[in-house]
Amino acid sequence: MWVTSSAQLLALMCGVIFLLLTTWLLLIATAAAIAWSYGFSLVGILLSVTLMTFASAAVLLYLVGITLKNMNFTRTLDAIIPTEEE
């Protein structure tokens, strides 16, 4: 039963990720269309959107690094593979 529930959860999370990605791209397209209507150059718009996307990816990568540093698997490993001291 937990396999079915896990598969459903994974499918739902993939759907959520797809919708969030689509929303992010639509926000970028909306900002680009508004900037275009105000007379900004297409090259400037594409460059600024690329830099904004790169900066957000760098921030997310930094947060992943912090999260990985804070994760502690020693208790989990001790539960799975007990040491000889115990």
Side-chain angles (χ1 to χ4, degrees):
M1 175 142 168
W2 63 271
V3 174
T4 306
S5 297
S6 297
Q8 288 174 348
L9 182 62
L10 181 63
L12 288 172
M13 288 306 298
C14 286
V16 168
I17 290 170
F18 177 75
L19 289 175
L20 287 174
L21 181 63
T22 304
T23 303
W24 176 247
L25 291 174
L26 286 173
L27 283 173
I28 290 173
T30 303
I34 291 171
W36 177 264
S37 71
Y38 281 111
F40 287 95
S41 69
L42 185 60
V43 174
I45 293 169
L46 292 177
L47 183 63
S48 63
V49 167
T50 302
L51 291 175
M52 182 179 66
T53 304
F54 181 72
S56 62
V59 168
L60 286 176
L61 188 59
Y62 175 73
L63 292 174
V64 166
I66 290 174
T67 303
L68 287 175
K69 281 184 183 179
N70 291 335
M71 291 177 83
N72 187 0
F73 291 110
T74 55
R75 292 178 66 189
T76 305
L77 288 175
D78 287 341
I80 295 172
I81 306 170
T83 59
E84 294 180 12
E85 298 171 359
E86 295 176 2

